[in-house]
Coordinates of all heavy atoms in Angstrom, one line a residue:
K1 N 0.8 -1.2 0.0 CA 0.0 0.0 0.0 C 0.9 1.3 0.0 O 0.4 2.4 0.1 CB -0.9 0.0 1.2 CG -1.9 -1.1 1.2 CD -2.8 -1.1 2.4 CE -3.9 -2.2 2.4 NZ -4.7 -2.2 3.6
N2 N 2.2 1.1 -0.1 CA 3.1 2.2 -0.1 C 3.6 2.4 -1.5 O 4.4 1.7 -2.1 CB 4.3 1.9 0.8 CG 5.2 3.1 1.0 OD1 5.4 3.9 0.1 ND2 5.8 3.2 2.1
P3 N 3.1 3.5 -2.2 CA 3.5 3.7 -3.6 C 5.0 4.0 -3.8 O 5.6 3.6 -4.8 CB 2.7 5.0 -4.0 CG 2.4 5.6 -2.7 CD 2.2 4.5 -1.7
I4 N 5.7 4.6 -2.8 CA 7.1 4.8 -2.9 C 7.8 3.5 -2.8 O 8.8 3.2 -3.6 CB 7.6 5.8 -1.8 CG1 6.9 7.1 -2.0 CG2 9.1 5.9 -1.8 CD1 7.2 8.1 -0.8
L5 N 7.4 2.6 -1.9 CA 8.1 1.3 -1.8 C 7.9 0.5 -3.1 O 8.8 -0.1 -3.6 CB 7.5 0.6 -0.6 CG 8.0 -0.8 -0.3 CD1 9.5 -0.8 -0.1 CD2 7.3 -1.5 0.9
D6 N 6.7 0.6 -3.7 CA 6.4 -0.1 -4.9 C 7.3 0.4 -6.0 O 7.7 -0.3 -6.9 CB 4.9 0.0 -5.3 CG 4.0 -0.8 -4.3 OD1 4.5 -1.7 -3.8 OD2 2.9 -0.5 -4.2
W7 N 7.5 1.7 -6.0 CA 8.3 2.3 -7.1 C 9.8 1.9 -7.0 O 10.4 1.6 -8.0 CB 8.3 3.9 -7.0 CG 9.0 4.5 -8.1 CD1 8.6 4.7 -9.4 CD2 10.3 5.1 -8.0 NE1 9.6 5.4 -10.1 CE2 10.7 5.6 -9.3 CE3 11.3 5.2 -7.0 CZ2 11.9 6.2 -9.6 CZ3 12.5 5.9 -7.3 CH2 12.8 6.4 -8.6
L8 N 10.3 1.7 -5.7 CA 11.6 1.3 -5.5 C 11.8 -0.2 -5.7 O 12.9 -0.6 -5.8 CB 12.1 1.8 -4.1 CG 12.3 3.3 -3.9 CD1 12.5 3.6 -2.5 CD2 13.5 3.8 -4.8
T9 N 10.8 -1.0 -5.6 CA 10.8 -2.4 -5.7 C 9.9 -2.9 -6.8 O 8.9 -3.6 -6.5 CB 10.6 -3.1 -4.4 OG1 9.3 -2.7 -3.9 CG2 11.6 -2.8 -3.4
P10 N 10.0 -2.5 -8.0 CA 9.0 -2.8 -9.1 C 9.1 -4.1 -9.6 O 10.1 -4.8 -9.4 CB 9.4 -1.8 -10.1 CG 10.9 -1.6 -10.0 CD 11.2 -1.7 -8.5
E11 N 8.0 -4.6 -10.3 CA 8.1 -5.9 -11.0 C 9.0 -5.8 -12.2 O 9.7 -6.7 -12.5 CB 6.7 -6.3 -11.4 CG 5.8 -6.6 -10.3 CD 6.3 -7.8 -9.5 OE1 6.8 -8.7 -10.0 OE2 6.2 -7.7 -8.2
R12 N 9.0 -4.6 -12.8 CA 10.0 -4.4 -13.9 C 11.0 -3.4 -13.5 O 10.7 -2.5 -12.7 CB 9.2 -3.8 -15.1 CG 8.2 -4.7 -15.7 CD 7.5 -4.1 -16.9 NE 6.5 -5.0 -17.5 CZ 5.7 -4.7 -18.5 NH1 5.8 -3.5 -19.1 NH2 4.9 -5.6 -19.0
P13 N 12.3 -3.6 -13.9 CA 13.4 -2.7 -13.4 C 13.2 -1.2 -13.7 O 12.8 -0.9 -14.8 CB 14.6 -3.3 -14.1 CG 14.2 -4.6 -14.5 CD 12.8 -4.6 -14.8
N14 N 13.4 -0.4 -12.7 CA 13.4 1.1 -13.0 C 14.9 1.5 -12.8 O 15.8 0.7 -12.7 CB 12.5 1.8 -12.0 CG 12.9 1.7 -10.6 OD1 14.0 1.3 -10.3 ND2 12.1 2.2 -9.7
I15 N 15.1 2.8 -12.9 CA 16.5 3.2 -12.9 C 17.3 2.9 -11.6 O 18.5 2.5 -11.6 CB 16.6 4.8 -13.1 CG1 18.1 5.2 -13.4 CG2 16.0 5.6 -12.0 CD1 18.3 6.6 -13.9
I16 N 16.6 2.9 -10.4 CA 17.2 2.5 -9.2 C 17.6 1.0 -9.2 O 18.7 0.6 -8.9 CB 16.3 2.7 -8.0 CG1 16.0 4.2 -7.8 CG2 16.9 2.2 -6.7 CD1 17.1 5.1 -7.3
D17 N 16.7 0.2 -9.7 CA 16.9 -1.2 -9.9 C 18.1 -1.5 -10.8 O 18.9 -2.3 -10.5 CB 15.7 -1.8 -10.6 CG 15.1 -3.0 -9.8 OD1 15.4 -3.1 -8.6 OD2 14.3 -3.8 -10.4
V18 N 18.2 -0.8 -11.9 CA 19.3 -1.0 -12.9 C 20.6 -0.7 -12.2 O 21.6 -1.5 -12.3 CB 19.0 -0.2 -14.1 CG1 20.3 -0.3 -15.0 CG2 17.8 -0.7 -14.9
I19 N 20.7 0.5 -11.6 CA 21.9 0.9 -11.0 C 22.3 0.0 -9.9 O 23.5 -0.4 -9.8 CB 21.8 2.4 -10.5 CG1 21.7 3.3 -11.7 CG2 23.1 2.8 -9.7 CD1 21.3 4.7 -11.3
E20 N 21.4 -0.3 -9.0 CA 21.7 -1.1 -7.8 C 22.2 -2.5 -8.3 O 23.2 -3.0 -7.8 CB 20.4 -1.3 -7.0 CG 20.5 -2.1 -5.8 CD 19.2 -2.2 -5.0 OE1 18.3 -2.7 -5.6 OE2 19.2 -1.8 -3.8
N21 N 21.5 -3.2 -9.2 CA 21.9 -4.5 -9.6 C 23.3 -4.4 -10.2 O 24.2 -5.3 -10.0 CB 21.0 -5.1 -10.7 CG 19.7 -5.6 -10.0 OD1 19.4 -5.3 -8.9 ND2 19.0 -6.5 -10.8
A22 N 23.6 -3.4 -11.1 CA 24.9 -3.3 -11.7 C 26.0 -3.1 -10.7 O 27.0 -3.7 -10.8 CB 24.8 -2.1 -12.7
V23 N 25.7 -2.2 -9.7 CA 26.7 -2.0 -8.7 C 27.0 -3.2 -7.9 O 28.2 -3.5 -7.6 CB 26.2 -0.8 -7.7 CG1 27.1 -0.8 -6.5 CG2 26.3 0.5 -8.4
F24 N 26.0 -4.0 -7.4 CA 26.2 -5.1 -6.6 C 26.9 -6.2 -7.4 O 27.8 -7.0 -6.9 CB 24.9 -5.7 -6.0 CG 24.5 -5.0 -4.7 CD1 23.5 -4.1 -4.7 CD2 25.2 -5.4 -3.6 CE1 23.2 -3.5 -3.5 CE2 24.9 -4.7 -2.4 CZ 23.9 -3.8 -2.3
M25 N 26.6 -6.4 -8.7 CA 27.2 -7.4 -9.6 C 28.7 -7.0 -9.7 O 29.6 -7.9 -9.6 CB 26.6 -7.4 -10.9 CG 25.2 -8.0 -11.0 SD 24.5 -7.9 -12.6 CE 22.8 -8.6 -12.3
M26 N 29.0 -5.8 -10.0 CA 30.4 -5.3 -10.1 C 31.2 -5.5 -8.8 O 32.3 -6.0 -8.9 CB 30.4 -3.8 -10.5 CG 31.7 -3.2 -10.5 SD 31.6 -1.4 -10.6 CE 30.9 -1.0 -9.0
Q27 N 30.6 -5.1 -7.7 CA 31.3 -5.3 -6.4 C 31.6 -6.7 -6.1 O 32.7 -7.0 -5.6 CB 30.4 -4.6 -5.3 CG 30.4 -3.1 -5.4 CD 29.8 -2.4 -4.2 OE1 29.9 -1.2 -4.0 NE2 29.1 -3.2 -3.4
L28 N 30.6 -7.6 -6.4 CA 30.9 -9.0 -6.1 C 32.0 -9.5 -6.9 O 32.9 -10.3 -6.4 CB 29.6 -9.8 -6.4 CG 29.7 -11.3 -6.2 CD1 30.0 -11.6 -4.7 CD2 28.4 -12.0 -6.5
Q29 N 32.1 -9.2 -8.2 CA 33.2 -9.7 -9.0 C 34.6 -9.1 -8.5 O 35.6 -9.9 -8.4 CB 33.0 -9.2 -10.5 CG 31.8 -9.9 -11.2 CD 31.9 -11.4 -11.2 OE1 33.0 -11.9 -11.5 NE2 30.9 -12.1 -10.9
I30 N 34.6 -7.8 -8.2 CA 35.9 -7.2 -7.7 C 36.3 -7.8 -6.4 O 37.4 -8.1 -6.1 CB 35.7 -5.7 -7.6 CG1 35.4 -5.1 -8.9 CG2 36.9 -5.1 -6.9 CD1 35.1 -3.6 -8.9
T31 N 35.3 -8.0 -5.5 CA 35.5 -8.6 -4.2 C 36.1 -10.0 -4.3 O 37.1 -10.3 -3.6 CB 34.2 -8.6 -3.3 OG1 33.8 -7.3 -3.1 CG2 34.5 -9.3 -2.0
E32 N 35.6 -10.8 -5.1 CA 36.1 -12.2 -5.3 C 37.6 -12.1 -5.7 O 38.4 -12.9 -5.2 CB 35.3 -13.0 -6.3 CG 33.9 -13.3 -5.9 CD 33.8 -14.3 -4.7 OE1 34.8 -14.9 -4.4 OE2 32.7 -14.5 -4.2
K33 N 37.9 -11.3 -6.6 CA 39.3 -11.1 -7.1 C 40.2 -10.6 -6.0 O 41.3 -11.1 -5.8 CB 39.3 -10.2 -8.3 CG 38.7 -10.8 -9.6 CD 38.7 -9.9 -10.8 CE 38.0 -10.5 -12.0 NZ 38.0 -9.6 -13.1
N34 N 39.7 -9.6 -5.3 CA 40.5 -9.1 -4.2 C 40.8 -10.1 -3.0 O 41.8 -10.1 -2.5 CB 39.8 -7.8 -3.6 CG 39.9 -6.6 -4.5 OD1 40.6 -6.6 -5.5 ND2 39.2 -5.5 -4.2
I35 N 39.8 -10.9 -2.8 CA 39.9 -11.9 -1.7 C 41.0 -12.9 -2.1 O 41.8 -13.3 -1.3 CB 38.6 -12.7 -1.5 CG1 37.6 -11.8 -0.8 CG2 38.8 -14.0 -0.7 CD1 36.2 -12.4 -0.6

């Protein structure tokens, strides 16, 4: 019932979704190499 929450967690990716996923994917790859 929270429109802001729905916007930030959509069924289809929005700009926050795209950036967030890209950042976490990138960080995971770099972290594995750094470890």
Side-chain angles (χ1 to χ4, degrees):
K1 295 180 180 179
N2 187 327
I4 296 174
L5 181 59
D6 290 335
W7 184 78
L8 289 171
T9 57
E11 291 301 319
R12 295 181 181 180
N14 64 12
I15 188 168
I16 298 288
D17 233 19
V18 171
I19 294 171
E20 181 180 60
N21 282 20
V23 166
F24 274 105
M25 289 174 185
M26 172 192 69
Q27 289 189 166
L28 180 58
Q29 294 299 319
I30 296 173
T31 296
E32 292 291 354
K33 292 177 181 177
N34 285 353
I35 287 173

